[in-house]
Coordinates of all heavy atoms in Angstrom, one line a residue:
Chain I
F969 N -55.0 -125.2 -98.7 CA -56.1 -124.6 -99.5 C -55.6 -123.3 -100.1 O -56.0 -123.0 -101.2 CB -57.3 -124.4 -98.7 CG -58.1 -125.7 -98.4 CD1 -58.8 -125.8 -97.1 CD2 -58.2 -126.7 -99.3 CE1 -59.5 -127.0 -96.8 CE2 -58.9 -127.8 -99.0 CZ -59.6 -128.0 -97.7
Q970 N -54.7 -122.6 -99.5 CA -54.2 -121.4 -100.1 C -53.0 -121.6 -101.0 O -52.6 -120.7 -101.8 CB -53.7 -120.4 -99.0 CG -54.8 -119.8 -98.1 CD -55.8 -118.9 -98.9 OE1 -55.6 -118.7 -100.1 NE2 -56.8 -118.4 -98.2
S971 N -52.4 -122.8 -101.0 CA -51.2 -123.0 -101.8 C -51.5 -123.0 -103.3 O -50.6 -122.9 -104.1 CB -50.5 -124.3 -101.4 OG -51.4 -125.4 -101.7
V972 N -52.8 -123.0 -103.6 CA -53.2 -122.8 -105.0 C -52.6 -121.5 -105.6 O -52.2 -121.4 -106.8 CB -54.7 -122.8 -105.2 CG1 -55.4 -121.7 -104.4 CG2 -55.2 -122.8 -106.6
I973 N -52.4 -120.5 -104.7 CA -51.8 -119.2 -105.2 C -50.4 -119.4 -105.8 O -50.2 -119.0 -106.9 CB -51.8 -118.2 -104.0 CG1 -53.2 -117.9 -103.4 CG2 -51.2 -116.8 -104.5 CD1 -53.2 -117.1 -102.2
G974 N -49.6 -120.0 -105.0 CA -48.2 -120.2 -105.5 C -48.1 -121.2 -106.6 O -47.3 -120.9 -107.6
K975 N -48.9 -122.2 -106.6 CA -48.9 -123.1 -107.8 C -49.2 -122.4 -109.1 O -48.6 -122.6 -110.1 CB -49.9 -124.3 -107.5 CG -49.4 -125.3 -106.5 CD -50.4 -126.4 -106.3 CE -50.1 -127.2 -105.1 NZ -51.3 -127.6 -104.4
E976 N -50.3 -121.6 -109.0 CA -50.6 -120.8 -110.2 C -49.5 -119.8 -110.6 O -49.3 -119.6 -111.8 CB -52.0 -120.0 -110.0 CG -53.2 -120.9 -109.9 CD -54.5 -120.2 -109.7 OE1 -54.4 -118.9 -109.6 OE2 -55.5 -120.8 -109.5
I977 N -48.9 -119.2 -109.6 CA -47.8 -118.2 -109.9 C -46.8 -119.0 -110.7 O -46.3 -118.5 -111.8 CB -47.2 -117.6 -108.7 CG1 -48.2 -116.7 -108.0 CG2 -45.9 -116.8 -109.0 CD1 -47.8 -116.1 -106.6
R978 N -46.4 -120.1 -110.2 CA -45.3 -120.9 -110.9 C -45.7 -121.2 -112.4 O -44.9 -120.9 -113.3 CB -45.1 -122.2 -110.2 CG -44.0 -123.1 -110.8 CD -43.9 -124.4 -110.2 NE -43.3 -124.5 -108.9 CZ -42.0 -124.8 -108.6 NH1 -41.2 -125.0 -109.6 NH2 -41.6 -124.8 -107.4
T979 N -46.9 -121.7 -112.6 CA -47.3 -122.1 -114.0 C -47.4 -120.8 -114.8 O -47.0 -120.8 -116.0 CB -48.7 -122.8 -113.9 OG1 -48.7 -123.7 -112.9 CG2 -49.1 -123.4 -115.2
Q980 N -48.1 -119.8 -114.3 CA -48.3 -118.6 -115.1 C -47.0 -117.9 -115.5 O -46.9 -117.4 -116.6 CB -49.3 -117.7 -114.4 CG -50.7 -118.2 -114.2 CD -51.5 -117.5 -113.2 OE1 -51.0 -117.1 -112.2 NE2 -52.8 -117.3 -113.5
L981 N -46.1 -117.8 -114.5 CA -44.9 -117.1 -114.8 C -44.0 -117.9 -115.8 O -43.3 -117.3 -116.6 CB -44.1 -116.8 -113.5 CG -43.0 -115.8 -113.6 CD1 -43.6 -114.4 -113.9 CD2 -42.1 -115.7 -112.4
Q982 N -44.1 -119.2 -115.6 CA -43.4 -120.1 -116.6 C -43.8 -119.7 -118.0 O -43.0 -119.6 -118.9 CB -43.7 -121.5 -116.2 CG -42.8 -122.6 -116.9 CD -41.3 -122.4 -116.6 OE1 -40.9 -122.2 -115.5 NE2 -40.5 -122.6 -117.7
K983 N -45.1 -119.6 -118.2 CA -45.6 -119.3 -119.5 C -45.2 -117.9 -120.0 O -44.8 -117.7 -121.1 CB -47.2 -119.3 -119.4 CG -47.8 -119.7 -120.7 CD -49.3 -120.1 -120.5 CE -50.1 -119.7 -121.7 NZ -51.5 -119.5 -121.4
E984 N -45.2 -116.9 -119.1 CA -44.9 -115.5 -119.4 C -43.4 -115.3 -119.6 O -43.0 -114.6 -120.5 CB -45.4 -114.6 -118.3 CG -46.9 -114.5 -118.1 CD -47.5 -113.6 -119.2 OE1 -46.9 -112.7 -119.7 OE2 -48.7 -113.9 -119.6
E985 N -42.6 -115.8 -118.7 CA -41.2 -115.5 -118.6 C -40.3 -116.7 -118.8 O -39.1 -116.5 -118.9 CB -40.9 -114.8 -117.3 CG -41.7 -113.5 -117.0 CD -41.1 -112.3 -117.8 OE1 -39.9 -112.4 -118.2 OE2 -41.8 -111.4 -118.0
G986 N -40.9 -117.9 -118.7 CA -40.1 -119.1 -118.8 C -39.1 -119.3 -117.7 O -38.1 -119.9 -117.8
R987 N -39.5 -118.8 -116.5 CA -38.6 -118.9 -115.4 C -39.3 -118.8 -114.0 O -40.5 -118.5 -114.0 CB -37.5 -117.9 -115.4 CG -38.1 -116.4 -115.5 CD -37.0 -115.4 -115.7 NE -36.0 -115.6 -114.7 CZ -35.7 -114.6 -113.8 NH1 -36.4 -113.5 -113.8 NH2 -34.8 -114.8 -112.9
L988 N -38.6 -119.0 -113.0 CA -39.1 -118.8 -111.6 C -39.0 -117.3 -111.3 O -38.1 -116.6 -111.8 CB -38.3 -119.6 -110.6 CG -38.4 -121.1 -110.6 CD1 -37.3 -121.7 -109.7 CD2 -39.8 -121.5 -110.1
P989 N -39.8 -116.8 -110.3 CA -39.6 -115.5 -109.8 C -38.3 -115.4 -109.0 O -37.8 -116.4 -108.5 CB -40.8 -115.2 -109.0 CG -41.3 -116.6 -108.5 CD -40.9 -117.5 -109.6
D990 N -37.8 -114.2 -108.9 CA -36.6 -114.0 -108.0 C -37.1 -113.7 -106.6 O -36.4 -113.9 -105.6 CB -35.8 -112.8 -108.5 CG -35.2 -113.2 -109.9 OD1 -34.2 -114.0 -109.9 OD2 -35.7 -112.8 -110.9
A991 N -38.3 -113.1 -106.5 CA -38.8 -112.8 -105.2 C -40.3 -112.9 -105.2 O -41.0 -112.5 -106.2 CB -38.4 -111.4 -104.7
V992 N -40.9 -113.4 -104.1 CA -42.4 -113.4 -104.0 C -42.6 -112.6 -102.7 O -42.1 -112.9 -101.6 CB -43.0 -114.8 -103.8 CG1 -44.5 -114.7 -103.6 CG2 -42.7 -115.6 -105.1
V993 N -43.5 -111.5 -102.8 CA -43.7 -110.6 -101.7 C -45.2 -110.6 -101.3 O -46.0 -110.5 -102.2 CB -43.3 -109.2 -102.0 CG1 -43.4 -108.3 -100.8 CG2 -41.8 -109.2 -102.6
A994 N -45.5 -110.8 -100.0 CA -46.9 -110.8 -99.6 C -47.0 -110.2 -98.2 O -46.0 -110.2 -97.5 CB -47.4 -112.3 -99.5
C995 N -48.2 -109.7 -97.9 CA -48.4 -109.1 -96.6 C -48.7 -110.3 -95.6 O -49.1 -111.3 -96.0 CB -49.6 -108.1 -96.5 SG -51.2 -108.8 -97.0
V996 N -48.4 -110.0 -94.3 CA -48.5 -111.1 -93.3 C -49.3 -110.5 -92.1 O -48.8 -109.6 -91.4 CB -47.2 -111.6 -92.8 CG1 -47.4 -112.7 -91.8 CG2 -46.3 -112.1 -94.0
G997 N -50.4 -111.1 -91.8 CA -51.1 -110.9 -90.5 C -50.9 -112.2 -89.8 O -49.9 -112.5 -89.1
G998 N -51.9 -113.1 -89.9 CA -51.7 -114.5 -89.5 C -50.8 -115.1 -90.6 O -50.0 -116.0 -90.3
G999 N -51.0 -114.7 -91.8 CA -50.1 -115.2 -92.9 C -50.6 -116.1 -93.9 O -49.9 -116.8 -94.5
S1000 N -52.0 -116.1 -94.2 CA -52.5 -117.1 -95.1 C -52.2 -116.8 -96.6 O -51.9 -117.7 -97.3 CB -54.0 -117.4 -94.8 OG -54.8 -116.3 -95.3
N1001 N -52.3 -115.6 -97.0 CA -52.0 -115.3 -98.4 C -50.5 -115.5 -98.6 O -50.1 -115.9 -99.7 CB -52.6 -114.0 -98.9 CG -51.6 -112.8 -98.7 OD1 -50.8 -112.6 -99.6 ND2 -51.7 -112.1 -97.6
A1002 N -49.7 -115.1 -97.6 CA -48.3 -115.2 -97.8 C -47.8 -116.7 -97.9 O -47.1 -117.1 -98.8 CB -47.6 -114.6 -96.6
I1003 N -48.4 -117.5 -97.0 CA -47.9 -118.9 -97.1 C -48.5 -119.5 -98.4 O -47.8 -120.4 -99.0 CB -48.4 -119.7 -95.8 CG1 -47.4 -120.9 -95.5 CG2 -49.7 -120.3 -96.0 CD1 -46.2 -120.5 -94.8
G1004 N -49.7 -119.1 -98.8 CA -50.2 -119.6 -100.0 C -49.3 -119.3 -101.2 O -49.1 -120.1 -102.1
A1005 N -48.8 -118.1 -101.2 CA -47.9 -117.6 -102.3 C -46.5 -118.3 -102.2 O -45.9 -118.6 -103.2 CB -47.8 -116.1 -102.3
F1006 N -46.1 -118.5 -101.0 CA -44.7 -119.0 -100.7 C -44.6 -120.5 -100.9 O -43.5 -121.0 -101.4 CB -44.2 -118.7 -99.3 CG -44.0 -117.3 -98.9 CD1 -43.7 -116.9 -97.6 CD2 -44.1 -116.2 -99.8 CE1 -43.6 -115.6 -97.2 CE2 -44.0 -114.9 -99.4 CZ -43.7 -114.6 -98.1
Y1007 N -45.6 -121.2 -100.5 CA -45.4 -122.6 -100.2 C -44.8 -123.4 -101.4 O -43.9 -124.2 -101.2 CB -46.7 -123.3 -99.8 CG -46.6 -124.6 -99.2 CD1 -45.8 -124.8 -98.1 CD2 -47.2 -125.8 -99.8 CE1 -45.6 -126.1 -97.5 CE2 -47.0 -127.0 -99.3 CZ -46.2 -127.2 -98.1 OH -46.0 -128.4 -97.6
D1008 N -45.2 -123.1 -102.6 CA -44.7 -123.9 -103.7 C -43.2 -123.6 -104.0 O -42.6 -124.4 -104.7 CB -45.6 -123.6 -105.0 CG -45.6 -124.8 -106.0 OD1 -45.9 -125.9 -105.5 OD2 -45.2 -124.6 -107.1
F1009 N -42.7 -122.5 -103.4 CA -41.4 -122.1 -103.7 C -40.4 -122.3 -102.6 O -39.2 -122.0 -102.7 CB -41.3 -120.6 -104.1 CG -42.2 -120.3 -105.3 CD1 -43.4 -119.6 -105.2 CD2 -41.8 -120.7 -106.6 CE1 -44.2 -119.3 -106.3 CE2 -42.6 -120.4 -107.7 CZ -43.8 -119.7 -107.5
I1010 N -40.9 -122.9 -101.5 CA -40.0 -123.1 -100.3 C -38.8 -123.9 -100.7 O -37.6 -123.7 -100.3 CB -40.8 -123.7 -99.1 CG1 -41.7 -122.6 -98.6 CG2 -39.8 -124.2 -98.0 CD1 -42.6 -123.1 -97.4
G1011 N -39.0 -124.9 -101.6 CA -37.9 -125.8 -102.0 C -37.1 -125.2 -103.2 O -36.2 -125.9 -103.7
E1012 N -37.3 -124.0 -103.5 CA -36.5 -123.3 -104.6 C -35.7 -122.2 -104.0 O -36.1 -121.1 -103.9 CB -37.5 -122.7 -105.7 CG -38.5 -123.6 -106.3 CD -37.9 -124.5 -107.4 OE1 -36.7 -124.4 -107.6 OE2 -38.7 -125.3 -108.0
P1013 N -34.4 -122.5 -103.7 CA -33.6 -121.6 -102.9 C -33.4 -120.3 -103.7 O -33.0 -119.2 -103.0 CB -32.3 -122.3 -102.7 CG -32.3 -123.5 -103.5 CD -33.7 -123.8 -103.9
S1014 N -33.5 -120.2 -105.0 CA -33.3 -119.0 -105.7 C -34.4 -118.0 -105.6 O -34.3 -116.8 -105.9 CB -33.1 -119.3 -107.2 OG -34.3 -119.7 -107.8
V1015 N -35.6 -118.4 -105.0 CA -36.7 -117.5 -104.9 C -36.7 -116.9 -103.5 O -36.9 -117.6 -102.5 CB -38.0 -118.3 -105.1 CG1 -39.2 -117.3 -105.1 CG2 -38.0 -119.0 -106.5
R1016 N -36.5 -115.6 -103.4 CA -36.6 -115.0 -102.1 C -38.1 -114.9 -101.7 O -39.0 -114.5 -102.5 CB -36.1 -113.5 -102.1 CG -34.6 -113.5 -102.1 CD -34.1 -112.1 -102.2 NE -34.3 -111.3 -101.0 CZ -34.0 -110.0 -100.9 NH1 -33.4 -109.3 -102.0 NH2 -34.2 -109.3 -99.8
L1017 N -38.4 -115.2 -100.5 CA -39.8 -115.1 -99.9 C -39.8 -114.0 -98.9 O -39.1 -114.1 -97.9 CB -40.1 -116.5 -99.3 CG -40.0 -117.7 -100.2 CD1 -40.3 -119.0 -99.4 CD2 -40.9 -117.6 -101.4
I1018 N -40.7 -113.0 -99.1 CA -40.6 -111.9 -98.3 C -42.0 -111.5 -97.8 O -43.0 -111.3 -98.5 CB -40.1 -110.6 -99.0 CG1 -38.7 -111.0 -99.5 CG2 -40.0 -109.4 -98.0 CD1 -38.1 -109.9 -100.4
G1019 N -42.2 -111.6 -96.4 CA -43.5 -111.2 -95.8 C -43.4 -109.8 -95.3 O -42.4 -109.4 -94.7
C1020 N -44.5 -109.0 -95.5 CA -44.5 -107.7 -95.0 C -45.5 -107.6 -93.8 O -46.7 -107.8 -94.0 CB -44.9 -106.7 -96.1 SG -43.7 -106.8 -97.5
E1021 N -45.0 -107.2 -92.6 CA -45.9 -107.2 -91.5 C -46.2 -105.7 -91.2 O -45.5 -104.8 -91.6 CB -45.4 -107.9 -90.3 CG -44.0 -107.6 -89.9 CD -43.5 -108.4 -88.6 OE1 -44.3 -109.3 -88.2 OE2 -42.4 -108.0 -88.1
A1022 N -47.3 -105.5 -90.4 CA -47.8 -104.2 -90.2 C -47.0 -103.5 -89.1 O -47.0 -103.9 -87.9 CB -49.3 -104.2 -89.8
A1023 N -46.3 -102.4 -89.4 CA -45.5 -101.7 -88.4 C -46.3 -100.5 -87.9 O -45.8 -99.7 -87.1 CB -44.2 -101.2 -89.1
G1024 N -47.6 -100.3 -88.3 CA -48.4 -99.3 -87.7 C -47.8 -97.9 -87.8 O -47.4 -97.4 -88.8
K1025 N -47.6 -97.3 -86.6 CA -47.0 -96.0 -86.5 C -45.5 -96.1 -86.4 O -44.8 -95.1 -86.1 CB -47.6 -95.2 -85.3 CG -49.0 -95.0 -85.6 CD -49.7 -94.1 -84.6 CE -51.1 -93.8 -85.1 NZ -52.0 -93.2 -84.2
G1026 N -44.9 -97.3 -86.5 CA -43.5 -97.5 -86.4 C -43.1 -98.6 -85.4 O -43.7 -98.6 -84.3
V1027 N -42.1 -99.4 -85.7 CA -41.7 -100.5 -84.7 C -41.1 -99.9 -83.5 O -40.9 -100.6 -82.5 CB -40.8 -101.5 -85.4 CG1 -41.6 -102.4 -86.4 CG2 -39.6 -100.9 -86.0
D1028 N -40.6 -98.6 -83.5 CA -40.1 -98.0 -82.3 C -41.2 -97.3 -81.5 O -40.8 -96.7 -80.5 CB -38.9 -97.1 -82.7 CG -39.2 -96.2 -83.9 OD1 -40.4 -96.3 -84.4 OD2 -38.3 -95.4 -84.3
T1029 N -42.4 -97.4 -81.9 CA -43.5 -96.9 -81.1 C -44.2 -98.1 -80.4 O -43.8 -99.3 -80.7 CB -44.6 -96.2 -81.9 OG1 -45.3 -97.1 -82.7 CG2 -43.9 -95.1 -82.8
E1030 N -45.2 -97.9 -79.6 CA -46.0 -99.0 -79.1 C -47.2 -99.4 -80.0 O -47.9 -100.3 -79.6 CB -46.5 -98.6 -77.7 CG -45.3 -98.4 -76.7 CD -45.6 -98.7 -75.3 OE1 -46.8 -98.4 -74.9 OE2 -44.7 -99.1 -74.6
Q1031 N -47.3 -98.6 -81.1 CA -48.5 -98.9 -81.9 C -48.1 -99.6 -83.2 O -47.9 -98.9 -84.2 CB -49.2 -97.6 -82.2 CG -49.9 -97.1 -80.9 CD -50.6 -95.8 -81.2 OE1 -50.0 -94.7 -81.3 NE2 -51.9 -95.8 -81.2
H1032 N -48.0 -100.9 -83.1 CA -47.6 -101.6 -84.3 C -48.2 -103.1 -84.2 O -48.7 -103.4 -83.1 CB -46.1 -101.7 -84.5 CG -45.4 -102.4 -83.3 ND1 -45.4 -103.8 -83.2 CD2 -44.8 -101.9 -82.3 CE1 -44.8 -104.1 -82.1 NE2 -44.4 -103.0 -81.5
A1033 N -48.1 -103.9 -85.2 CA -48.5 -105.3 -85.1 C -47.4 -106.1 -85.7 O -47.6 -107.1 -86.4 CB -49.8 -105.5 -85.8
A1034 N -46.1 -105.7 -85.5 CA -45.0 -106.3 -86.1 C -44.4 -107.5 -85.3 O -43.5 -107.3 -84.5 CB -43.9 -105.3 -86.4
T1035 N -45.1 -108.6 -85.4 CA -44.8 -109.8 -84.6 C -43.4 -110.3 -84.7 O -42.7 -110.7 -83.8 CB -45.8 -110.9 -84.9 OG1 -47.1 -110.3 -85.0 CG2 -45.8 -112.0 -83.9
I1036 N -42.9 -110.4 -86.0 CA -41.6 -110.9 -86.2 C -40.5 -109.9 -85.7 O -39.6 -110.3 -85.0 CB -41.4 -111.2 -87.7 CG1 -42.4 -112.3 -88.2 CG2 -39.9 -111.6 -88.0 CD1 -41.9 -113.7 -88.1
A1037 N -40.7 -108.7 -86.0 CA -39.7 -107.7 -85.6 C -39.7 -107.5 -84.1 O -38.6 -107.3 -83.5 CB -40.0 -106.3 -86.3
K1038 N -40.8 -107.5 -83.4 CA -40.9 -107.2 -82.0 C -41.4 -108.2 -81.1 O -41.4 -108.1 -79.9 CB -41.8 -105.9 -81.9 CG -41.4 -104.7 -82.7 CD -40.1 -104.1 -82.3 CE -40.3 -103.2 -81.1 NZ -39.0 -102.5 -80.8
G1039 N -41.9 -109.4 -81.6 CA -42.5 -110.4 -80.8 C -41.5 -111.3 -80.2 O -40.3 -111.3 -80.4
S1040 N -42.0 -112.2 -79.3 CA -41.2 -113.3 -78.7 C -42.1 -114.6 -78.7 O -43.3 -114.5 -78.9 CB -40.8 -112.9 -77.3 OG -41.9 -112.6 -76.5
T1041 N -41.4 -115.7 -78.4 CA -42.1 -117.0 -78.4 C -43.1 -117.1 -77.3 O -42.9 -116.7 -76.2 CB -41.1 -118.1 -78.3 OG1 -40.1 -117.9 -79.3 CG2 -41.8 -119.5 -78.5
G1042 N -44.3 -117.6 -77.6 CA -45.4 -117.7 -76.6 C -46.4 -118.7 -77.1 O -46.2 -119.4 -78.1
V1043 N -47.5 -118.8 -76.4 CA -48.6 -119.8 -76.7 C -49.9 -119.0 -76.6 O -50.3 -118.5 -75.6 CB -48.6 -121.0 -75.8 CG1 -49.7 -121.9 -76.1 CG2 -47.3 -121.7 -75.8
L1044 N -50.6 -119.0 -77.7 CA -51.9 -118.4 -77.8 C -52.7 -119.0 -78.9 O -52.2 -119.4 -79.9 CB -51.8 -116.8 -78.0 CG -53.1 -116.0 -78.0 CD1 -53.7 -115.9 -76.6 CD2 -52.9 -114.7 -78.6
H1045 N -54.1 -119.0 -78.7 CA -54.9 -119.4 -79.8 C -54.5 -120.8 -80.3 O -54.6 -121.1 -81.5 CB -55.0 -118.4 -81.0 CG -55.7 -117.1 -80.5 ND1 -55.4 -115.9 -81.2 CD2 -56.5 -116.9 -79.5 CE1 -56.2 -115.0 -80.6 NE2 -56.8 -115.5 -79.6
G1046 N -54.1 -121.7 -79.4 CA -53.9 -123.0 -79.8 C -52.5 -123.3 -80.4 O -52.2 -124.5 -80.7
M1047 N -51.7 -122.3 -80.5 CA -50.4 -122.6 -81.2 C -49.2 -121.9 -80.4 O -49.4 -120.9 -79.8 CB -50.4 -122.0 -82.6 CG -50.6 -120.5 -82.6 SD -50.6 -119.7 -84.2 CE -51.3 -118.1 -83.9
K1048 N -48.1 -122.6 -80.5 CA -46.8 -122.0 -80.1 C -46.3 -121.2 -81.3 O -46.2 -121.7 -82.4 CB -45.8 -123.0 -79.6 CG -44.6 -122.4 -78.9 CD -43.7 -123.5 -78.3 CE -44.2 -124.1 -77.0 NZ -43.3 -125.1 -76.5
S1049 N -46.0 -119.9 -81.1 CA -45.5 -119.1 -82.2 C -44.9 -117.8 -81.6 O -44.6 -117.8 -80.4 CB -46.7 -118.8 -83.2 OG -46.1 -118.3 -84.4
L1050 N -44.8 -116.8 -82.5 CA -44.3 -115.5 -82.0 C -45.5 -114.6 -81.7 O -46.4 -114.6 -82.5 CB -43.3 -114.9 -83.1 CG -42.1 -115.7 -83.3 CD1 -41.4 -115.3 -84.5 CD2 -41.1 -115.6 -82.1
F1051 N -45.4 -113.8 -80.7 CA -46.5 -113.0 -80.3 C -45.9 -111.6 -79.8 O -44.9 -111.6 -79.2 CB -47.4 -113.6 -79.2 CG -48.0 -114.9 -79.6 CD1 -47.5 -116.1 -79.4 CD2 -49.2 -114.8 -80.4 CE1 -48.0 -117.3 -79.8 CE2 -49.8 -116.0 -80.9 CZ -49.2 -117.2 -80.6
C1052 N -46.7 -110.6 -79.9 CA -46.4 -109.3 -79.3 C -47.0 -109.4 -77.8 O -48.2 -109.6 -77.6 CB -47.1 -108.2 -80.0 SG -46.5 -107.9 -81.7
Q1053 N -46.1 -109.4 -76.9 CA -46.5 -109.7 -75.5 C -45.5 -109.0 -74.5 O -44.4 -108.6 -74.9 CB -46.5 -111.2 -75.2 CG -45.2 -111.9 -75.5 CD -45.3 -113.4 -75.4 OE1 -46.1 -113.9 -74.7 NE2 -44.3 -114.1 -76.0
D1054 N -45.9 -108.9 -73.2 CA -45.1 -108.3 -72.3 C -44.2 -109.3 -71.6 O -44.3 -110.5 -71.9 CB -45.8 -107.4 -71.3 CG -46.7 -108.2 -70.3 OD1 -46.5 -109.4 -70.2 OD2 -47.5 -107.6 -69.6
E1055 N -43.4 -108.9 -70.6 CA -42.4 -109.8 -70.0 C -43.1 -110.9 -69.2 O -42.5 -111.9 -68.8 CB -41.4 -109.0 -69.1 CG -42.2 -108.2 -68.1 CD -41.3 -107.5 -67.1 OE1 -40.2 -108.0 -66.7 OE2 -41.6 -106.3 -66.8
F1056 N -44.4 -110.7 -68.9 CA -45.1 -111.7 -68.1 C -46.1 -112.5 -68.9 O -46.9 -113.2 -68.4 CB -45.9 -111.0 -66.9 CG -45.0 -110.5 -65.9 CD1 -44.8 -109.1 -65.8 CD2 -44.3 -111.3 -65.0 CE1 -44.0 -108.6 -64.8 CE2 -43.5 -110.8 -64.0 CZ -43.3 -109.5 -63.9
G1057 N -45.9 -112.4 -70.3 CA -46.7 -113.2 -71.2 C -48.2 -112.7 -71.3 O -49.0 -113.5 -71.7
Q1058 N -48.4 -111.5 -71.0 CA -49.7 -110.9 -71.3 C -49.7 -110.4 -72.7 O -48.7 -109.7 -73.1 CB -50.1 -109.8 -70.3 CG -50.1 -110.1 -68.9 CD -51.1 -111.2 -68.5 OE1 -52.1 -111.4 -69.2 NE2 -50.9 -111.8 -67.3
I1059 N -50.7 -110.7 -73.5 CA -50.7 -110.3 -74.9 C -50.9 -108.8 -75.0 O -51.8 -108.3 -74.4 CB -51.7 -111.1 -75.7 CG1 -51.5 -112.6 -75.6 CG2 -51.7 -110.7 -77.2 CD1 -50.2 -113.2 -76.0
M1060 N -50.1 -108.1 -75.8 CA -50.2 -106.7 -75.8 C -51.2 -106.2 -76.9 O -51.3 -106.9 -77.9 CB -48.8 -106.1 -76.2 CG -47.7 -106.6 -75.4 SD -47.1 -105.4 -74.3 CE -46.0 -104.5 -75.4
P1061 N -51.8 -105.1 -76.7 CA -52.6 -104.5 -77.7 C -51.8 -104.2 -78.9 O -50.6 -103.7 -78.8 CB -53.2 -103.3 -77.1 CG -52.8 -103.2 -75.7 CD -51.7 -104.2 -75.5
V1062 N -52.2 -104.5 -80.1 CA -51.5 -104.2 -81.3 C -52.3 -103.2 -82.1 O -53.5 -102.9 -81.9 CB -51.1 -105.4 -82.2 CG1 -50.1 -106.2 -81.5 CG2 -52.4 -106.2 -82.5
Y1063 N -51.6 -102.6 -83.1 CA -52.3 -101.5 -83.9 C -51.8 -101.6 -85.3 O -50.6 -101.8 -85.6 CB -52.0 -100.1 -83.3 CG -52.3 -99.1 -84.3 CD1 -53.6 -98.7 -84.5 CD2 -51.3 -98.6 -85.2 CE1 -54.0 -97.8 -85.5 CE2 -51.6 -97.7 -86.2 CZ -53.0 -97.3 -86.3 OH -53.3 -96.4 -87.3
S1064 N -52.7 -101.4 -86.2 CA -52.4 -101.2 -87.6 C -53.6 -100.5 -88.3 O -54.7 -100.7 -87.9 CB -52.1 -102.5 -88.4 OG -52.1 -102.3 -89.8
I1065 N -53.3 -99.7 -89.3 CA -54.4 -99.1 -90.1 C -55.3 -100.2 -90.7 O -56.4 -100.1 -91.0 CB -53.9 -98.1 -91.2 CG1 -55.1 -97.4 -91.8 CG2 -53.0 -98.9 -92.2 CD1 -54.7 -96.4 -92.8
S1066 N -54.6 -101.4 -90.9 CA -55.3 -102.5 -91.6 C -55.9 -103.4 -90.5 O -55.1 -104.0 -89.8 CB -54.2 -103.2 -92.4 OG -54.5 -104.6 -92.4

Side-chain angles (χ1 to χ4, degrees):
Chain I
F969 287 142
Q970 291 294 359
S971 64
V972 64
I973 302 174
K975 285 182 196 143
E976 287 179 7
I977 292 174
R978 182 191 282 267
T979 314
Q980 291 166 322
L981 196 67
Q982 189 62 39
K983 208 169 148 200
E984 293 284 328
E985 299 283 341
R987 59 187 301 247
L988 289 170
D990 296 283
V992 178
V993 185
C995 63
V996 184
S1000 71
N1001 90 85
I1003 210 81
F1006 294 174
Y1007 192 61
D1008 207 51
F1009 300 109
I1010 289 177
E1012 304 281 3
S1014 70
V1015 183
R1016 282 177 73 182
L1017 305 175
I1018 303 171
C1020 299
E1021 53 178 6
K1025 297 189 174 165
V1027 289
D1028 43 5
T1029 70
E1030 296 205 329
Q1031 290 179 289
H1032 62 77
T1035 312
I1036 296 266
K1038 305 292 280 188
S1040 57
T1041 307
V1043 179
L1044 180 74
H1045 292 158
M1047 59 180 170
K1048 190 176 280 179
S1049 192
L1050 295 167
F1051 297 96
C1052 295
Q1053 55 185 338
D1054 72 11
E1055 59 178 316
F1056 292 106
Q1058 304 294 346
I1059 304 303
M1060 308 250 279
V1062 288
Y1063 163 81
S1064 164
I1065 185 174
S1066 143

